[in-house]
Amino acid sequence: MFLDRFRSMCYRCLAGWIFVALLMVACGREERTVVLLHTNDSHGSILPVNGFGGMAERATVIDSLRKLYQDKILLLDAGDFNTGQAVSNMFCARPDILAYNYMGYDAVTLGNHEFDQPIDTLLQQMNWANFPFVISNVSYKGEPLGTETLVKKVNGVRIGLFGILTKATAQISVNVQNVAFTDEVEAARKAVKKLQQQNVDLIIGMVHLGFTESTSEYITSQKLAAAVEGIDILVDGHSHSYIEKPLKINGTWIVTANQSGRFIGEGKVKVCKGGIVSFDWKPLPVNNISPHNFLKTVLQPYVDAANKDLQTVIGEADDTFVLFRNKENLGRYREVALGNLLTDALKWKTEQLHLNVDFALTNSGGIREELAQGKITKGDILSILPFGNELEVVAMKGEDVVKLFDFLATVELGSGTFPQVSEEVRVVFNQDDKTLKSLTIGGDPVDRERIYYMATCDYVAAGKDGYSAGLSNVMDRQKTSVLIAEALMEYIQHLEKVSPKIEGRIKL
């Protein structure tokens, strides 16, 4: 009896081994490799900063990879190519599009900063592009703004692509008139179903969602992966996150490549009939790379035109105003010296205009680059503040000032909504229970009946980036038509030399 059972068990094991071996042999014959290269949140980064990034430098890396992998490459971008360095801003990202055309991007999706300029600018950018914009949940005047889904064949693999932009764009971007954003999960499910019906081997979503929840209802890339079946890979953007290994949720791999072209994501996808066999991914640093000669020549006239004015020296920094650590923007987590300098400049400029002002506040999401030690140029400031925001003064009762800071206490660390404040403010947020612990302005507790005047940017004053929750009872908004970048330039010229300082304005 024992011998019979033993033989039976051996036969079953042998049959299982034979089945696995046959499957491996069959798959081995059909197994194909796709090399996924991807970027996100390029933000007008035509030139390298501190040795990182640069369009011509990115082209050098991609050209070398094309020589290595030939026709196996799929090159994607997860949005926010707009708004950054002055050389890009001055020409409405035409240099960026030319660079993407040269590098041979297969598809690009939209980010929220594609709506920083009027919609006609985006439509012109789409016209310049030799690649499709794939976006599944955005329409303009009732029609899809781009290609809703796309099928590409790479090395014999049929790859289905879709694109999703956070519907929070309706609240955080300015030029969204006649633009509609449908639910991210609903749109992704619809796109996946459509692609599955086209008999694709691999489904990749280019999503501008990010890893950070601005509210409990916000759909991150992780939430999307958990909610939607059938997605093989999500190429993410928006939160500027740096990762060293891909995430895997609900069978979906999630990857992202930081920001400003500092990294290129490289994923080797082995595909067999029925799905992914393996996914080997890493971030490739674009660091101290020689620029691609041809693309550098193409871009140089744009750089030269911008440099004529942007190289004007306006002051000096006696040390670096640090903004990044471990690839993360520190201004989205705590008080930073650059935030202090900017908000002090906004208050100072408002006073120069003879307007009432008690304090200044801005969102950290508008601060994009750090300020290096040494001579400061106009170009430096426009790289730090690339969005063309204007200075405004908001009037509100003290009780609404407290309401504003109550709201700010609930903001998740890592969000661009996180505030920076001028020297008159001392605030303590309790991170454990997301509450406001204490607040003084000008050294005194807030008088709930008094009228306070806050200098800020028009983006915050309009309630964007979630600020509508804290600014619902604004009594008055006074426009100045002064760019906040101009205010910071004038303030630095006034001081001549600036020093980074952290003063405990915001405590957590």
Side-chain angles (χ1 to χ4, degrees):
M1 181 70 71
F2 172 78
L3 187 58
D4 290 340
R5 282 202 303 266
F6 179 74
R7 285 175 179 154
S8 176
M9 183 175 68
C10 288
Y11 290 145
R12 286 197 301 270
C13 289
L14 181 60
W17 292 335
I18 291 171
F19 175 77
V20 171
L22 289 172
L23 184 64
M24 290 176 66
V25 170
C27 189
R29 289 173 181 163
E30 298 178 10
E31 184 178 290
R32 295 182 181 273
T33 298
V34 173
V35 179
L36 170 64
L37 303 180
H38 61 92
T39 52
N40 57 274
D41 298 281
S42 184
H43 287 301
S45 295
I46 302 297
L47 301 172
V49 176
N50 297 327
F52 274 95
M55 282 293 181
E57 289 74 9
R58 188 192 308 184
T60 295
V61 176
I62 289 175
D63 265 14
S64 67
L65 292 170
R66 287 195 184 279
K67 290 174 183 175
L68 180 63
Y69 297 118
Q70 299 181 6
D71 61 351
K72 296 181 176 66
I73 285 178
L74 177 71
L75 180 57
L76 306 176
D77 186 274
D80 270 7
F81 59 87
N82 270 296
T83 311
Q85 294 178 357
V87 63
S88 174
N89 297 347
M90 284 179 65
F91 298 101
C92 297
R94 187 175 179 86
D96 310 68
I97 299 292
L98 289 174
Y100 275 39
N101 286 343
Y102 175 79
M103 287 184 273
Y105 272 79
D106 291 291
V108 173
T109 197
L110 300 177
N112 53 292
H113 286 291
E114 270 61 89
F115 299 92
D116 287 344
Q117 301 298 323
I119 192 72
D120 286 347
T121 299
L122 175 57
L123 296 176
Q124 179 64 72
Q125 291 169 341
M126 290 178 160
N127 188 52
W128 290 333
N130 294 338
F131 48 83
F133 285 85
V134 179
I135 184 69
S136 310
N137 72 322
V138 182
S139 60
Y140 175 58
K141 293 184 176 179
E143 297 294 329
L145 188 50
T147 301
E148 292 185 285
T149 60
L150 179 70
V151 177
K152 296 280 295 186
K153 194 169 184 179
V154 178
N155 193 30
V157 179
R158 285 176 57 81
I159 303 170
L161 300 173
F162 68 93
I164 300 291
L165 171 58
T166 174
K167 66 179 183 180
T169 302
Q171 285 75 51
I172 64 177
S173 293
V174 178
N175 294 288
V176 290
Q177 298 82 4
N178 299 314
V179 181
F181 304 87
T182 58
D183 180 80
E184 302 95 335
V185 171
E186 176 186 331
R189 284 177 178 155
K190 180 180 177 182
V192 168
K193 183 177 180 180
K194 180 178 179 181
L195 291 168
Q196 288 172 334
Q197 291 171 345
Q198 297 180 67
N199 196 31
V200 297
D201 303 305
L202 189 66
I203 294 180
I204 299 177
M206 298 178 290
V207 297
H208 201 81
L209 299 174
F211 291 0
T212 305
E213 289 185 3
S214 53
T215 67
S216 59
E217 296 81 23
Y218 184 88
I219 300 298
T220 61
S221 57
Q222 298 99 314
K223 284 185 178 180
L224 188 75
V228 181
E229 302 290 337
I231 304 172
D232 294 298
I233 301 171
L234 289 178
V235 174
D236 191 33
H238 189 51
S239 60
H240 301 183
S241 300
Y242 172 78
I243 59 173
E244 295 183 344
K245 291 190 270 187
L247 308 180
K248 192 172 188 181
I249 296 175
N250 192 27
T252 300
W253 293 102
I254 306 175
V255 293
T256 191
N258 195 231
Q259 66 174 45
S260 304
R262 295 170 181 169
F263 294 87
I264 299 169
E266 179 195 6
K268 296 175 184 175
V269 191
K270 291 187 178 180
V271 182
C272 187
K273 190 172 183 180
I276 294 179
V277 176
S278 65
F279 184 49
D280 181 17
W281 181 91
K282 62 185 176 183
L284 297 176
V286 182
N287 186 15
N288 294 320
I289 302 293
S290 297
H292 189 283
N293 286 333
F294 177 78
L295 188 55
K296 181 181 179 182
T297 301
V298 170
L299 297 177
Q300 196 61 47
Y302 297 96
V303 175
D304 291 342
N307 280 344
K308 286 182 180 179
D309 182 58
L310 298 180
Q311 292 304 310
T312 302
V313 174
I314 59 171
E316 184 176 356
D318 62 14
D319 203 353
T320 297
F321 286 70
V322 175
L323 188 63
F324 296 99
R325 183 170 297 159
N326 297 325
K327 316 298 187 302
E328 292 287 346
N329 186 325
L330 297 176
R332 299 179 179 220
Y333 293 86
R334 56 180 176 266
E335 173 191 347
V336 292
L338 193 51
N340 291 348
L341 181 67
L342 172 58
T343 49
D344 288 349
L346 298 184
K347 184 174 184 296
W348 173 84
K349 180 60 182 178
T350 310
E351 291 171 338
Q352 297 296 303
L353 297 172
H354 305 292
L355 297 173
N356 288 326
V357 61
D358 295 289
F359 68 101
L361 178 149
T362 194
N363 64 317
S364 294
I367 305 172
R368 309 306 274 203
E369 294 290 349
E370 62 187 26
L371 181 60
Q373 180 181 17
K375 301 296 184 183
I376 304 170
T377 66
K378 289 183 178 180
D380 294 329
I381 302 304
L382 292 176
S383 293
I384 291 167
L385 301 170
F387 300 124
N389 295 121
E390 295 184 357
L391 174 63
E392 289 192 12
V393 178
V394 172
M396 52 188 162
K397 291 184 68 173
E399 62 182 358
D400 293 314
V401 172
V402 174
K403 180 181 177 182
L404 169 62
F405 281 89
D406 278 335
F407 157 70
L408 292 171
T410 69
V411 170
E412 292 291 333
L413 297 183
S415 168
T417 309
F418 191 85
Q420 298 293 318
V421 295
S422 62
E423 62 180 350
E424 294 75 23
V425 178
R426 294 294 184 272
V427 60
V428 180
F429 296 125
N430 187 329
Q431 276 296 294
D432 293 332
D433 58 8
K434 301 290 186 183
T435 59
L436 174 63
K437 188 174 181 181
S438 67
L439 172 66
T440 62
I441 296 178
D444 298 319
V446 175
D447 181 345
R448 289 178 175 269
E449 297 302 317
R450 179 187 156 190
I451 304 300
Y452 287 83
Y453 296 88
M454 178 181 77
T456 188
C457 66
D458 54 354
Y459 183 78
V460 170
K464 299 295 184 179
D465 215 4
Y467 274 87
S468 58
L471 294 173
S472 57
N473 294 317
V474 168
M475 301 176 66
D476 185 44
R477 284 174 59 186
Q478 187 159 358
K479 299 178 181 295
T480 68
S481 299
V482 174
L483 295 176
I484 63 170
E486 292 175 353
L488 181 55
M489 288 181 202
E490 291 181 24
Y491 186 58
I492 291 172
Q493 287 177 312
H494 167 71
L495 295 175
E496 296 183 357
K497 182 176 285 190
V498 293
S499 304
K501 57 184 179 181
I502 303 293
E503 300 178 323
R505 300 180 184 186
I506 301 173
K507 293 183 178 180
L508 303 176

Coordinates of all heavy atoms in Angstrom, one line a residue, residues 307-346:
N307 N 19.4 83.7 -23.0 CA 20.6 84.1 -22.2 C 20.9 85.6 -22.3 O 21.5 86.2 -21.4 CB 21.8 83.3 -22.5 CG 21.8 82.0 -21.9 OD1 21.1 81.7 -21.0 ND2 22.7 81.1 -22.4
K308 N 20.4 86.3 -23.3 CA 20.8 87.7 -23.5 C 20.3 88.5 -22.3 O 21.0 89.4 -21.9 CB 20.1 88.2 -24.8 CG 20.8 87.8 -26.1 CD 20.2 88.4 -27.3 CE 20.9 87.9 -28.6 NZ 20.2 88.5 -29.8
D309 N 19.1 88.2 -21.8 CA 18.6 88.9 -20.7 C 18.7 88.1 -19.4 O 19.0 88.7 -18.3 CB 17.1 89.2 -20.9 CG 16.5 90.0 -19.8 OD1 17.0 91.1 -19.5 OD2 15.5 89.5 -19.1
L310 N 18.7 86.8 -19.4 CA 18.6 86.0 -18.2 C 20.0 86.0 -17.5 O 20.0 85.6 -16.3 CB 18.2 84.6 -18.5 CG 16.8 84.5 -19.1 CD1 16.4 83.1 -19.4 CD2 15.7 85.1 -18.2
Q311 N 21.1 86.3 -18.1 CA 22.3 86.3 -17.4 C 22.6 87.6 -16.6 O 23.7 87.7 -16.0 CB 23.5 86.1 -18.4 CG 23.4 84.7 -19.1 CD 23.5 83.6 -18.0 OE1 24.3 83.6 -17.1 NE2 22.6 82.6 -18.2
T312 N 21.7 88.5 -16.6 CA 21.9 89.7 -15.8 C 22.0 89.4 -14.3 O 21.1 88.7 -13.8 CB 20.7 90.7 -16.0 OG1 20.6 91.0 -17.4 CG2 20.8 91.9 -15.2
V313 N 23.0 89.8 -13.7 CA 23.2 89.5 -12.3 C 22.4 90.5 -11.4 O 22.5 91.7 -11.6 CB 24.7 89.6 -11.9 CG1 24.9 89.4 -10.4 CG2 25.5 88.5 -12.7
I314 N 21.7 90.0 -10.4 CA 20.8 90.8 -9.6 C 21.3 90.8 -8.1 O 20.8 91.6 -7.3 CB 19.4 90.4 -9.7 CG1 19.2 88.9 -9.3 CG2 18.8 90.6 -11.1 CD1 17.8 88.5 -9.1
G315 N 22.2 89.9 -7.8 CA 22.6 89.9 -6.4 C 23.5 88.7 -6.1 O 24.0 88.1 -7.1
E316 N 23.7 88.3 -4.9 CA 24.6 87.2 -4.5 C 24.1 86.5 -3.3 O 23.5 87.1 -2.4 CB 26.0 87.8 -4.2 CG 27.1 86.8 -4.0 CD 28.4 87.4 -3.7 OE1 28.6 88.6 -3.9 OE2 29.4 86.6 -3.4
A317 N 24.3 85.2 -3.4 CA 23.9 84.3 -2.2 C 25.2 83.8 -1.6 O 26.1 83.3 -2.2 CB 23.1 83.1 -2.7
D318 N 25.3 84.1 -0.2 CA 26.6 83.7 0.4 C 26.6 82.2 0.8 O 27.6 81.7 1.3 CB 26.9 84.6 1.6 CG 25.9 84.5 2.7 OD1 25.0 83.6 2.7 OD2 25.9 85.4 3.6
D319 N 25.5 81.5 0.6 CA 25.5 80.0 0.7 C 24.3 79.5 -0.1 O 23.4 80.3 -0.5 CB 25.3 79.7 2.2 CG 25.8 78.2 2.5 OD1 26.2 77.5 1.5 OD2 25.9 77.9 3.7
T320 N 24.3 78.2 -0.3 CA 23.2 77.6 -1.1 C 21.9 77.6 -0.3 O 21.9 77.1 0.9 CB 23.6 76.2 -1.6 OG1 24.7 76.3 -2.4 CG2 22.4 75.6 -2.3
F321 N 20.8 78.0 -0.9 CA 19.5 77.8 -0.4 C 19.0 76.4 -0.8 O 18.4 76.2 -1.9 CB 18.5 78.9 -0.9 CG 18.7 80.2 -0.3 CD1 19.9 81.0 -0.6 CD2 17.8 80.8 0.5 CE1 20.1 82.3 -0.1 CE2 18.0 82.1 1.1 CZ 19.1 82.8 0.7
V322 N 19.2 75.5 0.1 CA 19.0 74.0 -0.3 C 17.5 73.8 -0.4 O 16.7 74.2 0.5 CB 19.6 73.1 0.8 CG1 19.3 71.7 0.5 CG2 21.1 73.3 0.8
L323 N 17.1 73.1 -1.4 CA 15.7 72.7 -1.6 C 15.5 71.2 -1.7 O 14.4 70.7 -1.4 CB 15.1 73.4 -2.9 CG 13.6 73.2 -3.1 CD1 12.8 73.9 -1.9 CD2 13.2 73.8 -4.4
F324 N 16.5 70.5 -2.1 CA 16.4 69.0 -2.4 C 17.3 68.2 -1.4 O 18.4 68.6 -1.2 CB 16.7 68.7 -3.8 CG 15.8 69.3 -4.8 CD1 16.1 70.4 -5.5 CD2 14.5 68.7 -5.0 CE1 15.2 71.0 -6.4 CE2 13.6 69.3 -5.9 CZ 14.0 70.4 -6.6
R325 N 16.8 67.1 -1.0 CA 17.5 66.1 -0.2 C 17.0 64.8 -0.5 O 15.7 64.6 -0.4 CB 17.5 66.4 1.3 CG 18.3 65.5 2.1 CD 18.4 66.0 3.5 NE 19.1 67.3 3.6 CZ 19.0 68.2 4.6 NH1 18.2 67.9 5.6 NH2 19.7 69.3 4.6
N326 N 17.8 63.8 -0.9 CA 17.4 62.5 -1.2 C 16.3 62.5 -2.3 O 15.4 61.8 -2.3 CB 16.9 61.7 0.0 CG 18.0 61.5 1.0 OD1 19.1 61.3 0.7 ND2 17.6 61.5 2.3
K327 N 16.5 63.4 -3.3 CA 15.7 63.6 -4.5 C 14.3 64.2 -4.1 O 13.4 64.3 -5.0 CB 15.5 62.3 -5.2 CG 16.7 61.4 -5.4 CD 17.8 62.1 -6.2 CE 19.0 61.2 -6.5 NZ 19.7 60.7 -5.4
E328 N 14.1 64.6 -2.9 CA 12.7 65.1 -2.5 C 12.8 66.6 -2.3 O 13.8 67.1 -1.8 CB 12.3 64.4 -1.2 CG 11.9 63.0 -1.3 CD 10.6 62.7 -2.1 OE1 9.8 63.7 -2.2 OE2 10.4 61.6 -2.5
N329 N 11.7 67.3 -2.7 CA 11.6 68.7 -2.5 C 11.3 69.0 -1.0 O 10.2 68.8 -0.6 CB 10.5 69.3 -3.4 CG 10.4 70.8 -3.4 OD1 10.6 71.4 -2.3 ND2 10.1 71.4 -4.5
L330 N 12.2 69.5 -0.2 CA 12.1 69.7 1.2 C 11.0 70.7 1.5 O 10.4 70.7 2.6 CB 13.4 70.2 1.8 CG 14.6 69.2 1.7 CD1 15.8 69.9 2.3 CD2 14.3 68.0 2.5
G331 N 10.7 71.7 0.6 CA 9.7 72.7 0.8 C 8.3 72.1 1.0 O 7.4 72.8 1.5
R332 N 8.1 70.9 0.5 CA 6.8 70.2 0.7 C 6.7 69.5 2.0 O 5.7 68.8 2.2 CB 6.6 69.2 -0.5 CG 6.6 69.9 -1.9 CD 6.5 69.0 -3.0 NE 6.5 69.7 -4.3 CZ 5.7 69.4 -5.3 NH1 4.8 68.5 -5.2 NH2 5.7 70.1 -6.4
Y333 N 7.7 69.6 2.8 CA 7.7 68.9 4.1 C 7.9 69.8 5.3 O 7.5 69.5 6.4 CB 8.8 67.8 4.1 CG 8.6 66.7 3.2 CD1 9.0 66.8 1.8 CD2 7.9 65.5 3.6 CE1 8.7 65.7 1.0 CE2 7.7 64.5 2.7 CZ 8.1 64.6 1.4 OH 7.9 63.5 0.5
R334 N 8.5 70.9 5.1 CA 8.9 71.8 6.2 C 9.3 73.2 5.7 O 9.4 73.4 4.5 CB 10.0 71.2 7.1 CG 11.2 70.8 6.3 CD 12.2 70.2 7.3 NE 13.5 69.8 6.7 CZ 13.7 68.5 6.3 NH1 12.7 67.6 6.4 NH2 14.9 68.2 5.7
E335 N 9.5 74.1 6.7 CA 10.1 75.4 6.4 C 11.4 75.2 5.7 O 12.3 74.5 6.1 CB 10.2 76.2 7.7 CG 11.0 77.5 7.5 CD 11.3 78.1 8.9 OE1 10.8 77.6 9.9 OE2 12.1 79.1 8.9
V336 N 11.6 76.0 4.6 CA 12.9 76.0 3.9 C 13.3 77.5 3.8 O 12.5 78.4 3.7 CB 12.8 75.3 2.6 CG1 12.6 73.8 2.7 CG2 11.8 75.9 1.7
A337 N 14.6 77.7 3.7 CA 15.2 79.1 3.6 C 14.7 79.8 2.3 O 14.4 81.0 2.3 CB 16.7 79.0 3.6
L338 N 14.5 79.0 1.2 CA 14.1 79.7 0.0 C 12.6 80.1 0.1 O 12.2 81.2 -0.4 CB 14.2 78.7 -1.2 CG 14.1 79.3 -2.6 CD1 15.0 80.5 -2.8 CD2 14.4 78.2 -3.6
G339 N 11.8 79.4 0.8 CA 10.4 79.8 1.1 C 10.4 81.0 2.0 O 9.5 81.9 1.8
N340 N 11.3 81.1 3.0 CA 11.4 82.3 3.8 C 11.8 83.5 3.0 O 11.2 84.6 3.1 CB 12.4 82.1 4.9 CG 11.9 81.1 5.9 OD1 10.8 80.7 5.9 ND2 12.8 80.6 6.8
L341 N 12.7 83.4 2.1 CA 13.2 84.5 1.3 C 12.0 84.9 0.4 O 11.8 86.2 0.2 CB 14.4 84.0 0.4 CG 15.0 85.1 -0.5 CD1 15.6 86.2 0.3 CD2 16.0 84.5 -1.5
L342 N 11.3 84.0 -0.2 CA 10.3 84.4 -1.2 C 9.1 85.1 -0.4 O 8.7 86.1 -0.9 CB 9.7 83.1 -1.9 CG 8.5 83.3 -2.7 CD1 8.7 84.4 -3.8 CD2 8.0 82.0 -3.3
T343 N 8.7 84.5 0.7 CA 7.5 85.2 1.3 C 7.9 86.5 1.9 O 7.1 87.4 1.9 CB 7.0 84.2 2.4 OG1 8.0 83.7 3.2 CG2 6.2 83.0 1.8
D344 N 9.1 86.6 2.4 CA 9.6 87.9 2.9 C 9.6 88.9 1.7 O 9.3 90.1 1.9 CB 11.0 87.9 3.5 CG 11.0 87.2 4.9 OD1 9.9 86.9 5.4 OD2 12.1 86.8 5.4
A345 N 10.0 88.5 0.5 CA 10.0 89.3 -0.6 C 8.6 89.8 -1.0 O 8.4 90.9 -1.4 CB 10.6 88.6 -1.8
L346 N 7.6 88.9 -0.9 CA 6.2 89.2 -1.2 C 5.7 90.3 -0.3 O 5.0 91.2 -0.7 CB 5.3 88.0 -1.2 CG 5.7 86.8 -2.2 CD1 4.6 85.7 -2.1 CD2 5.8 87.4 -3.6

